[in-house]
Amino acid sequence: MHELSLCENILQMIEQQAKDQKFTRVLTVCLEIGQLSCVEPEAISFCFNEVMSGSVANQAELKIVMLAGLAWCPTCYHHFEILQRYDECPNCGRYDVQIVKGEHMRISELEVI
Ligand SMILES: [Zn+2]
């Protein structure tokens, strides 16, 4: 259900861009999914075609790029790759680290005609 509504959000973003940039057909949709965003790429792929059906992105190809999570430790100023939201800083062991990257999903590129 979560992924279905995400696909519907993606479609809304595409349709908004189609209006702004006046294209009528989308060939490829490149999606960036952050490792920490809790979005399942398989589930997105699964409902993507169904949601895009009949829209400007009808039968568009979906390309998914996973983005690694990146965090920053305010205690020791260490930047590091983070696999889970509540991991500790590998340098000093503190848990109150801040996520810098990898929490969101976004459209990185649209190939249109
Ligand atoms: Zn630290």
Side-chain angles (χ1 to χ4, degrees):
M1 278 319 280
H2 181 56
E3 273 75 15
L4 185 62
S5 61
L6 282 173
C7 276
E8 282 164 357
N9 285 346
I10 294 168
L11 178 58
Q12 280 173 11
M13 286 188 264
I14 293 172
E15 284 181 332
Q16 187 59 48
Q17 292 205 22
K19 237 185 252 172
D20 293 347
Q21 295 166 33
K22 303 193 195 325
F23 57 79
T24 50
R25 191 105 169 70
V26 178
L27 300 180
T28 313
V29 178
C30 297
L31 262 193
E32 275 180 4
I33 300 178
Q35 210 75 256
L36 308 173
S37 66
C38 305
V39 176
E40 289 289 333
E42 293 82 13
I44 293 277
S45 311
F46 181 74
C47 52
F48 182 80
N49 283 338
E50 192 188 317
V51 173
M52 299 305 146
S53 161
S55 75
V56 289
N58 191 30
Q59 294 190 334
E61 189 191 342
L62 176 66
K63 285 185 186 163
I64 292 178
V65 177
M66 296 303 291
L67 275 191
L70 201 67
W72 175 73
C73 174
T75 308
C76 71
Y77 305 110
H78 186 57
H79 279 86
F80 58 97
E81 199 169 292
I82 190 166
L83 298 176
Q84 278 161 31
R85 191 171 290 268
Y86 300 109
D87 279 356
E88 77 273 23
C89 170
N91 198 41
C92 71
R94 296 279 301 241
Y95 281 91
D96 54 351
V97 299
Q98 294 184 10
I99 309 292
V100 183
K101 216 167 103 179
E103 278 187 305
H104 305 285
M105 178 187 71
R106 71 180 192 101
I107 297 173
S108 60
E109 210 181 312
L110 286 178
E111 192 188 333
V112 301
I113 47 176

